[in-house]
Amino acid sequence: RVLSQYITIIKMKIAVFATLLASAAAFSISPKDIVKAAASGAVIFGIATSPAFAGDVGAGEQVFNANCAACHAGGQNVIMPEKTLEKDALEQYLAGGRNEAAVRTQVTNGKNAMPAFGGRLSDDDIANVASYVIATADEGWE
């Protein structure tokens, strides 16, 4: 699923670049300007800046609220206050760094005071909550 999302993004980038190249050829624009235009177009349309998540962020929010918020409301940690779900803390304390795979591993297996949710939550629920945690950390918890 993640691979197909990346392939779709790459196809979109190629389509934008091909369109810009064809337009540039018609107006004799230099290759240097084509690259600048492609980069600008990608940013404007969110092609290069929108991360692809393995799970469903909206569904992950529901899973989080039902299973995680008791200890992690607002991205905090009531048991170990320094180990929050903020970007910097995830990067520092999460085995594997701040990414969905590392969150899935932590949620599935637990660690220290955090219980394992593998077996209690489906793989899809865990993927969804991992996507939600990373997306919300990137946006900033409220």
Side-chain angles (χ1 to χ4, degrees):
R1 182 174 174 184
V2 172
L3 181 59
S4 68
Q5 289 175 333
Y6 283 110
I7 290 171
T8 300
I9 290 171
I10 290 169
K11 286 179 182 178
M12 290 170 49
K13 288 180 181 181
I14 291 170
V16 168
F17 186 75
T19 302
L20 290 169
L21 185 60
S23 298
F27 295 104
S28 300
I29 297 174
S30 75
K32 185 178 176 182
D33 291 335
I34 294 170
V35 172
K36 287 181 185 176
S40 297
V43 171
I44 289 169
F45 292 106
I47 295 170
T49 60
S50 298
F53 292 106
D56 179 325
V57 175
E61 181 177 15
Q62 293 176 343
V63 174
F64 183 90
N65 289 336
N67 296 277
C68 313
C71 294
H72 294 290
Q76 299 305 300
N77 185 329
V78 299
I79 307 297
M80 301 179 85
E82 71 281 3
K83 295 185 178 181
T84 69
L85 301 180
E86 302 286 345
K87 287 171 71 169
D88 292 342
L90 289 175
E91 195 63 54
Q92 181 177 356
Y93 296 112
L94 190 61
R98 182 179 51 87
N99 61 71
E100 288 181 67
V103 174
R104 284 194 308 270
T105 299
Q106 176 90 12
V107 172
T108 301
N109 302 321
K111 187 174 178 182
N112 299 325
M114 181 171 164
F117 285 87
R120 289 195 241 179
L121 296 175
S122 70
D123 290 345
D124 285 344
D125 284 345
I126 291 172
N128 293 342
V129 81
S131 295
Y132 171 72
V133 167
I134 295 299
T136 308
D138 288 348
E139 294 170 6
W141 292 87
E142 292 182 12

